[in-house]
Amino acid sequence: MAVGIGVTWGDGTLTFGGKPYAFSVEGLSVVDLGVSDVTTSGEVFNLKNVADLSGTYAAGEIGVAVVKGENDTIMKNEKGVVLRLHGTQKGARLTLGPGGVKIKLKS
C-alpha cells in the first residue's frame, strides 16, 4: 500500500492511516544554483508501522514495482521502506547525500 508524503526543505509530513506525522530530513541535496527552497511530494511503500519511516535511506535496488520518472528520487531504508519523491521545483533535481538521507519522526 502506498501512502502520501510531503517534504518542504528539511521537514516533512507523512499521512498514514488518515493522520499526519511530522518528521525531519537530513542529507537531501538539490542540484541547481540559485534554488533556496524546495517542496516535493511522493509515496511511501512497504510501511506497516509509522515508526519504520525513521531510518537512513539510500538509493539502490528497490525490490518493489515502481517506475522511476525523470525527476523522481527513489530510496530505501534498512527496514525496507521505500520513498519515491517527485521533484516539484522547476530546474532542480533532488540528490542523496554521501551518507544517505536520514529521516526521524518528531515527537
Side-chain angles (χ1 to χ4, degrees):
M1 175 176 79
V3 296
I5 191 168
V7 178
T8 301
W9 205 243
D11 291 304
T13 303
L14 166 72
T15 303
F16 184 74
K19 297 180 183 177
Y21 296 89
F23 61 89
S24 62
V25 180
E26 294 179 13
L28 196 59
S29 303
V30 176
V31 178
D32 190 18
L33 297 175
V35 175
S36 60
D37 189 33
V38 172
T39 300
T40 190
S41 62
E43 298 86 34
V44 181
F45 300 89
N46 300 336
L47 184 68
K48 295 177 177 90
N49 179 343
V50 73
D52 290 344
L53 181 71
S54 293
T56 302
Y57 289 78
E61 293 185 29
I62 300 304
V64 343
V66 293
V67 177
K68 183 176 180 185
E70 185 176 322
N71 294 320
D72 287 359
T73 300
I74 300 173
M75 52 193 168
K76 181 178 179 180
N77 77 3
E78 64 276 4
K79 298 170 191 155
V81 177
V82 175
L83 301 182
R84 180 174 66 180
L85 301 177
H86 312 294
T88 58
Q89 179 72 37
K90 191 170 184 167
R93 185 168 45 101
L94 298 173
T95 61
L96 282 63
V101 173
K102 293 181 181 158
I103 292 181
K104 183 177 179 184
L105 284 171
K106 295 182 178 181
S107 309

